[in-house]
């Protein structure tokens, strides 16, 4: 039986745009209909989630990185019947964070704690994303994270095929943080990407594509 491509909403990290998911948009085209959610307009997670839901198909899969992961969880809280499955990269089970500037966030996301050669390859595109998004949007996104509600109820409500993945060199979401999230979701698959920092879809595009391909094909329980 040939499956129809699944609608897939991709959500970027703070200070990032669609370039973060560029390889997956191309590489998953045979199994999914990818589209990007807009997290640049609103200043609360609830409003971001509502905006994405308003433009999304009736039922779809959603994958998010960091900020995008928290918005994806809020989308499940708001409309659980519409979410087919969820993938969370660099996302924690708690919402604690310290305020950072655009520069600090970028340095943590692309610092040479990950593969030094890879870091040099992605640092330019990451800086270009941050410049396109701009400091105003970054500050708005940061306010949304600082004012975010407890995500515990949203995590506890997840009952769909779930992938939780994290880079082993991620300094924004530590591997133990992501493991805690996966442990709270029944049946969640947990994966550590080696020699990888915070922006896995860009840093390890082939591996992320394979993970998402397996996740998209996973049967619902």
């Amino acid at each position: 039986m040939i499956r129809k491509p699944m609608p897939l909403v991709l959500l970027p990290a703070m200070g990032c745009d669609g370039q973060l998911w560029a390889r997956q948009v191309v590489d998953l085209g045979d199994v999914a209909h990818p589209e990007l959610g807009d997290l640049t307009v609103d200043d609360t997670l609830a409003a971001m989630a509502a905006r994405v839901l308003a433009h999304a198909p009736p039922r779809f899969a959603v994958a998010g990185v960091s900020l995008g992961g928290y918005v994806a969880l809020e989308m499940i809280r708001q409309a659980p019947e519409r979410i087919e499955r969820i993938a969370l990269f660099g996302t924690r089970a708690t919402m604690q964070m310290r305020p950072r500037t655009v520069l600090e966030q970028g340095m943590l996301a692309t610092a040479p704690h990950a593969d030094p050669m890879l870091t040099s390859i992605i640092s330019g595109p990451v800086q270009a994303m941050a410049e396109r998004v701009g400091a105003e949007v970054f500050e708005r996104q940061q306010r949304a994270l600082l004012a975010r509600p407890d995500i515990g109820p949203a995590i506890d409500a997840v009952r769909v095929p779930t992938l939780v993945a994290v880079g082993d060199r991620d300094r924004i979401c530590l591997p133990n943080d992501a493991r805690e999230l996966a442990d709270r979701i029944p049946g969640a698959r947990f994966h550590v990407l080696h020699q990888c920092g915070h922006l896995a879809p860009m840093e390890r595009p082939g591996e992320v594509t394979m993970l998402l391909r397996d996740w998209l094909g996973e049967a619902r329980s």
Side-chain angles (χ1 to χ4, degrees):
M1 177 179 175
I2 299 177
R3 292 192 180 191
K4 292 183 179 179
M6 183 180 297
L8 171 62
V9 175
L10 300 170
L11 303 177
M14 185 164 57
C16 297
D17 60 19
Q19 187 174 357
L20 178 64
W21 291 105
R23 277 284 302 276
Q24 288 73 42
V25 168
V26 173
D27 294 346
L28 292 172
D30 61 324
V31 294
H33 288 308
E35 60 182 72
L36 298 168
D38 186 0
L39 308 185
T40 66
V41 178
D42 305 290
D43 58 5
T44 68
L45 295 185
M48 290 177 183
R51 180 179 300 276
V52 175
L53 285 166
H55 293 87
R59 282 187 63 80
F60 58 94
V62 60
V65 179
S66 195
L67 169 67
Y70 301 122
V71 173
L73 287 168
E74 172 62 18
M75 289 165 63
I76 282 216
R77 190 192 68 79
Q78 291 186 18
E81 73 284 354
R82 294 182 59 190
I83 311 298
E84 178 72 24
R85 57 197 64 218
I86 184 170
L88 305 166
F89 292 83
T91 305
R92 299 186 290 177
T94 65
M95 301 297 270
Q96 296 176 354
M97 67 169 289
R98 71 175 181 86
R100 298 188 180 100
T101 65
V102 176
L103 178 61
E104 289 172 330
Q105 184 81 5
M107 290 175 66
L108 280 173
T110 64
H113 58 274
D115 183 333
M117 183 174 294
L118 185 65
T119 298
S120 66
I121 293 172
I122 72 164
S123 60
V126 169
Q127 181 177 351
M129 282 195 297
E131 290 174 354
R132 287 193 299 271
V133 171
E136 182 178 338
V137 169
F138 180 89
E139 291 169 3
R140 185 156 55 238
Q141 292 175 336
Q142 185 163 247
R143 286 197 301 272
L145 283 175
L146 289 170
R148 59 194 178 278
D150 177 20
I151 61 170
I155 295 172
D156 295 338
V158 177
R159 293 294 184 271
V160 295
T162 301
L163 168 66
V164 177
V166 65
D168 63 345
R169 308 294 177 86
D170 193 335
R171 293 175 61 194
I172 296 174
C173 173
L174 302 179
N176 284 344
D177 297 329
R179 166 66 79 177
E180 180 184 350
L181 174 61
D183 287 346
R184 290 183 56 176
I185 300 174
R189 178 184 176 192
F190 179 68
H191 183 85
V192 176
L193 299 108
H194 296 287
Q195 293 284 81
C196 181
H198 191 57
L199 302 178
M202 182 177 285
E203 295 183 51
R204 293 288 182 240
E207 188 173 358
V208 168
T209 293
M210 287 190 295
L211 287 171
L212 292 179
R213 187 176 290 275
D214 289 345
W215 164 75
L216 285 165
E218 185 178 345
R220 289 196 61 156
S221 57

